[in-house]
Amino acid sequence: MKVPFIDLQAQYATIKDGIQLAINEVLASQDFILGKQVAELEINIAHYCGIKRAIGVASGTDALLLSMMALDIKQGDEVITTPYTFFATVGSIVRLGAVPVFVDIDPKTFNIDNIRIEEKITPRTRAIIPVHLFGQMADMGTIMELAKKYNIAIIEDAAQAIGATYNGLAAGSMGDLGILSFYPSKNLGAYGDAGMVLTNNEELAEKVSILRVHGSKTKYYHTVVGINSRLDTLQAAILLVKLKHLDVWKQRRQEIALLYDQDLLDTPVICPNVSEQNDHVYTHYVIRTKERDALKSYLTEAGIGTAIYYPLPMHRQACFGYLNYRDTRMPEAERASKETLAIPLYPAMTEEQRKYVVENIKKFFYLHPELQ
Ligand SMILES: Cc1ncc(COP(=O)(O)O)c(C=O)c1O
């Protein structure tokens, strides 16, 4: 049997008619840039996330960049974040000339360790970017308290977490700004690049809307220097169709995760730990074991796709070498990068496929009793 890590074709088969209708409508209108579907998606996503304003942009990466531009984060400012994230979180800080300041992660959730944030705050700290990794929100309670106490902006990186909640509040709705990614492999994925900025602050929303079109509110008149980062009408039309299914898909992801939790209980792997305030959406189901690399090879041999998020933490990336963080110890992020493995989990996955994954994880440890 084959179990791909993600099966977008299986998902497409279930929504094909709706998608084709939506694409045909855009083709008929020939209105490809910021068409009516973009405005409609912005309203629907804002409603889904319980937030006043949502601004469609070209990618999650641009959403981060534009959020920081709207906050006027610039050369020499410090932005606190996690070293255990996708590159874009940190890359966008550095692209503005600001300095990323890393706080190690909580080994249970893989999210930024809220207890260690305060010691990294300085007079230059302008923002904190908590990342809601794998679909579970960071401990926003403490983070929001720190933001208030030190007057620091919060940008939630909810690229992997649309639909997740913390004490009932949606991912991306708690900070000054939140960002979403609709990269195809996300739990709400477009058919290309797409992203969104979320905010309750009208002034910031206005700034982001202007910055995404070269800094102009009136065409050809530029009040600030922005970028070209518009959400494509075709992608918005596709996302409008897929958004209708998101809650059912979320429920299915949670069911599969629960079954994995139960079935893997008697194996040496550690399953995702969900803190009680959180509703986890399982964009990725990530297990941890010291035998990660051997297990990955074994599963590959058995026809099971897996992924490593992420093999090298950000403070050790060559491109950030000039920041001299490579000798800095972030022990939990480093350990996680050697021990975590994302296994297949997607709504279209069959029970037979899920059982096959479990069976093979069990077989691996049975064949290697010395690793138990
Ligand atoms: C945590 C995180 N932040 C930011 C991004 C960037 O999003 P995009 O790929 O849409 O630019 C991603 C997704 O790839 C991500 O996983």
Side-chain angles (χ1 to χ4, degrees), residues 59-62 64 85-86 88-89 131 133 157 159-160 179 181-183 186 193-194 310:
S59 67
T61 305
D62 276 3
L64 283 161
T85 180
F86 178 62
T89 316
V131 179
L133 206 66
D157 183 338
Q160 302 181 7
I179 75 99
S181 163
F182 305 119
Y183 184 78
K186 298 290 192 265
D193 277 310
Y310 297 91

Side-chain angles (χ1 to χ4, degrees), residues 158-363:
Q160 302 181 7
I162 185 171
T165 62
Y166 174 93
N167 285 337
L169 295 168
S173 73
M174 295 182 73
D176 298 271
L177 296 137
I179 75 99
L180 302 173
S181 163
F182 305 119
Y183 184 78
S185 61
K186 298 290 192 265
N187 58 332
L188 179 62
Y191 291 170
D193 277 310
M196 206 160 267
V197 176
L198 309 176
T199 184
N200 278 316
N201 180 320
E202 290 293 345
E203 199 184 317
L204 288 174
E206 184 68 6
K207 277 189 185 167
V208 172
S209 323
I210 292 173
L211 285 165
R212 81 172 163 178
V213 283
H214 299 290
S216 72
K217 188 168 180 175
T218 309
K219 209 171 180 182
Y220 304 126
Y221 292 86
H222 303 265
T223 47
V224 283
V225 179
I227 60 176
N228 172 10
S229 183
R230 297 168 296 217
L231 174 59
D232 200 284
T233 311
L234 272 170
Q235 298 306 338
I238 290 160
L239 286 164
L240 275 169
V241 175
K242 293 183 86 176
L243 181 61
K244 291 192 191 118
H245 299 271
L246 189 58
D247 277 337
V248 173
W249 288 341
K250 168 179 159 180
Q251 202 184 339
R252 182 72 194 124
R253 283 179 184 275
Q254 291 176 332
E255 280 164 13
I256 298 171
L258 189 65
L259 292 169
Y260 267 146
D261 290 348
Q262 288 164 358
D263 287 352
L264 294 173
L265 204 60
D266 60 349
T267 72
V269 306
I270 299 171
C271 293
N273 186 301
V274 187
S275 59
E276 63 182 36
Q277 303 93 330
N278 273 310
D279 191 28
H280 194 323
V281 292
Y282 297 101
T283 296
H284 300 300
Y285 187 91
V286 176
I287 57 173
R288 101 182 270 169
T289 163
K290 287 200 165 53
E291 312 308 327
R292 191 267 310 276
D293 292 340
L295 175 62
K296 180 172 174 52
S297 304
Y298 184 84
L299 295 178
T300 306
E301 282 290 303
I304 297 168
T306 57
I308 295 174
Y309 301 119
Y310 297 91
L312 189 66
M314 290 304 124
H315 64 292
R316 293 198 171 274
Q317 295 290 342
C319 66
F320 303 137
Y322 73 98
L323 290 165
N324 294 322
Y325 290 149
R326 289 175 93 171
D327 294 331
T328 307
R329 295 270 298 129
M330 293 276 145
E332 295 303 344
E334 279 154 38
R335 208 156 61 83
S337 70
K338 292 186 179 73
E339 296 181 357
T340 53
L341 188 66
I343 60 175
L345 189 157
Y346 38 89
M349 191 178 187
T350 64
E351 179 58 4
E352 204 187 2
Q353 286 177 311
R354 192 195 64 79
K355 282 195 171 139
Y356 183 71
V357 175
V358 171
E359 223 171 77
N360 276 282
I361 294 174
K362 288 190 170 170
K363 250 195 228 163

